[in-house]
Coordinates of all heavy atoms in Angstrom, one line a residue:
V623 N -79.0 -82.7 262.3 CA -78.2 -83.6 261.4 C -76.8 -82.9 261.3 O -75.8 -83.6 261.2 CB -78.8 -83.7 260.0 CG1 -78.0 -84.7 259.2 CG2 -80.2 -84.3 260.2
Q624 N -76.7 -81.6 261.2 CA -75.4 -80.9 261.1 C -74.6 -81.2 262.3 O -73.4 -81.5 262.2 CB -75.7 -79.4 260.9 CG -76.2 -79.0 259.6 CD -76.3 -77.5 259.4 OE1 -76.6 -76.8 260.3 NE2 -76.1 -77.0 258.2
K625 N -75.2 -81.1 263.5 CA -74.4 -81.4 264.7 C -74.0 -82.9 264.8 O -72.9 -83.2 265.2 CB -75.3 -81.1 265.9 CG -75.6 -79.6 266.2 CD -76.5 -79.4 267.3 CE -76.8 -77.9 267.5 NZ -77.8 -77.6 268.6
A626 N -74.8 -83.8 264.3 CA -74.5 -85.2 264.3 C -73.3 -85.5 263.4 O -72.5 -86.4 263.6 CB -75.7 -86.1 263.9
A627 N -73.1 -84.6 262.3 CA -72.1 -84.8 261.4 C -70.8 -84.1 261.7 O -69.8 -84.3 261.0 CB -72.5 -84.3 260.0
E628 N -70.8 -83.3 262.8 CA -69.6 -82.6 263.2 C -68.4 -83.6 263.4 O -68.5 -84.5 264.1 CB -69.8 -81.8 264.4 CG -70.7 -80.6 264.1 CD -71.0 -79.7 265.4 OE1 -70.5 -80.1 266.5 OE2 -71.7 -78.7 265.3
G629 N -67.3 -83.3 262.8 CA -66.1 -84.1 263.0 C -66.0 -85.4 262.2 O -65.1 -86.2 262.4
T630 N -67.0 -85.7 261.4 CA -67.1 -86.9 260.6 C -66.6 -86.9 259.2 O -66.4 -87.9 258.6 CB -68.6 -87.4 260.6 OG1 -69.3 -86.6 259.8 CG2 -69.2 -87.5 262.0
G631 N -66.4 -85.7 258.7 CA -66.1 -85.5 257.3 C -67.3 -85.4 256.4 O -67.1 -85.2 255.1
L632 N -68.5 -85.4 256.9 CA -69.7 -85.3 256.1 C -70.2 -83.8 256.2 O -70.3 -83.3 257.3 CB -70.8 -86.2 256.6 CG -72.2 -86.1 255.9 CD1 -72.1 -86.5 254.4 CD2 -73.2 -86.8 256.6
T633 N -70.4 -83.2 255.1 CA -70.9 -81.8 255.1 C -72.4 -81.9 254.9 O -72.9 -82.6 254.0 CB -70.3 -81.0 253.9 OG1 -68.9 -80.9 254.2 CG2 -70.9 -79.6 253.8
V634 N -73.2 -81.2 255.7 CA -74.6 -81.2 255.6 C -75.1 -79.8 255.3 O -75.0 -78.8 256.1 CB -75.3 -81.6 256.9 CG1 -76.8 -81.6 256.8 CG2 -74.8 -83.0 257.3
L635 N -75.7 -79.6 254.1 CA -76.2 -78.3 253.6 C -77.6 -78.1 254.2 O -78.4 -79.1 254.2 CB -76.2 -78.2 252.1 CG -74.9 -78.1 251.4 CD1 -75.2 -78.0 249.9 CD2 -74.1 -76.9 251.8
P636 N -77.9 -76.9 254.6 CA -79.3 -76.6 255.1 C -80.2 -76.4 253.9 O -79.8 -75.7 252.9 CB -79.1 -75.4 255.9 CG -77.9 -74.7 255.4 CD -77.0 -75.8 254.9
G637 N -81.4 -76.9 254.0 CA -82.3 -76.8 252.9 C -83.8 -77.1 253.3 O -84.1 -77.4 254.5
M638 N -84.6 -77.1 252.3 CA -86.0 -77.4 252.5 C -86.6 -77.8 251.1 O -86.2 -77.3 250.1 CB -86.8 -76.1 253.0 CG -88.3 -76.3 253.3 SD -89.1 -74.8 253.6 CE -88.3 -74.3 255.2
E639 N -87.6 -78.6 251.2 CA -88.4 -79.0 250.0 C -89.7 -78.2 250.1 O -90.5 -78.6 251.0 CB -88.6 -80.5 249.8 CG -89.4 -80.8 248.6 CD -89.8 -82.3 248.5 OE1 -90.5 -82.8 249.4 OE2 -89.3 -83.0 247.6
V640 N -89.9 -77.2 249.3 CA -91.1 -76.4 249.4 C -92.2 -76.8 248.4 O -91.8 -77.2 247.3 CB -90.8 -74.9 249.2 CG1 -92.1 -74.1 249.1 CG2 -89.9 -74.4 250.3
Q641 N -93.4 -76.9 248.8 CA -94.5 -77.2 247.9 C -95.2 -75.9 247.6 O -95.8 -75.2 248.4 CB -95.5 -78.2 248.6 CG -96.6 -78.6 247.6 CD -97.4 -79.8 248.2 OE1 -96.8 -80.7 248.8 NE2 -98.7 -79.7 248.0
T642 N -95.2 -75.5 246.3 CA -95.7 -74.3 245.8 C -97.3 -74.4 245.7 O -97.8 -75.5 245.8 CB -95.2 -73.9 244.5 OG1 -95.6 -74.8 243.4 CG2 -93.6 -73.9 244.5
R643 N -97.9 -73.3 245.4 CA -99.4 -73.4 245.3 C -99.8 -74.1 244.0 O -100.9 -74.5 243.8 CB -100.0 -72.0 245.4 CG -99.6 -71.0 244.2 CD -100.4 -69.7 244.4 NE -100.1 -68.7 243.4 CZ -99.8 -67.5 243.6 NH1 -99.6 -67.1 244.9 NH2 -99.5 -66.6 242.6
E644 N -98.8 -74.3 243.1 CA -99.1 -75.1 241.9 C -98.9 -76.6 242.1 O -99.1 -77.4 241.2 CB -98.2 -74.7 240.7 CG -98.3 -73.2 240.3 CD -97.2 -72.3 241.0 OE1 -96.6 -72.8 242.0 OE2 -97.0 -71.2 240.5
D645 N -98.6 -76.9 243.4 CA -98.4 -78.3 243.8 C -97.1 -78.9 243.1 O -97.1 -80.0 242.7 CB -99.6 -79.2 243.5 CG -100.7 -79.1 244.5 OD1 -100.4 -78.6 245.6 OD2 -101.8 -79.4 244.1
V646 N -96.1 -78.0 243.1 CA -94.8 -78.4 242.6 C -93.8 -78.4 243.7 O -93.8 -77.4 244.5 CB -94.3 -77.5 241.4 CG1 -92.9 -77.8 241.0 CG2 -95.2 -77.7 240.2
H647 N -92.9 -79.4 243.8 CA -91.9 -79.4 244.8 C -90.6 -78.8 244.3 O -90.1 -79.1 243.3 CB -91.6 -80.9 245.3 CG -92.6 -81.5 246.1 ND1 -92.5 -82.8 246.6 CD2 -93.8 -81.0 246.6 CE1 -93.6 -83.0 247.3 NE2 -94.4 -82.0 247.4
L648 N -90.1 -77.8 245.1 CA -88.9 -77.1 244.8 C -87.9 -77.3 245.9 O -88.2 -77.1 247.1 CB -89.1 -75.6 244.6 CG -90.1 -75.2 243.5 CD1 -90.2 -73.7 243.5 CD2 -89.6 -75.7 242.1
L649 N -86.6 -77.7 245.6 CA -85.6 -77.8 246.6 C -85.0 -76.4 246.8 O -84.6 -75.7 245.8 CB -84.4 -78.7 246.1 CG -84.8 -80.2 245.9 CD1 -83.6 -81.0 245.3 CD2 -85.3 -80.8 247.2
C650 N -84.9 -76.0 248.0 CA -84.3 -74.7 248.3 C -83.1 -74.9 249.2 O -83.2 -75.4 250.3 CB -85.3 -73.8 249.1 SG -86.9 -73.5 248.2
L651 N -81.9 -74.6 248.7 CA -80.6 -74.8 249.4 C -80.1 -73.5 249.8 O -80.1 -72.5 249.1 CB -79.7 -75.6 248.5 CG -80.1 -76.9 247.9 CD1 -79.1 -77.5 247.0 CD2 -80.5 -77.9 249.0
F652 N -79.4 -73.5 251.0 CA -78.9 -72.3 251.6 C -77.5 -72.4 252.0 O -77.0 -73.6 252.3 CB -79.8 -71.8 252.7 CG -81.2 -71.5 252.4 CD1 -82.2 -72.5 252.4 CD2 -81.5 -70.2 251.9 CE1 -83.5 -72.2 252.0 CE2 -82.8 -69.9 251.5 CZ -83.8 -70.9 251.6
A653 N -76.8 -71.3 252.1 CA -75.4 -71.4 252.5 C -75.2 -71.5 254.0 O -74.2 -72.0 254.5 CB -74.7 -70.1 252.0

Side-chain angles (χ1 to χ4, degrees):
V623 183
Q624 288 183 325
K625 290 177 182 177
E628 288 179 358
T630 67
L632 177 68
T633 298
V634 180
L635 289 180
M638 181 189 295
E639 182 186 60
V640 174
Q641 186 169 319
T642 70
R643 66 174 180 234
E644 300 95 344
D645 283 339
V646 170
H647 285 180
L648 300 178
L649 297 177
C650 301
L651 304 178
F652 297 89

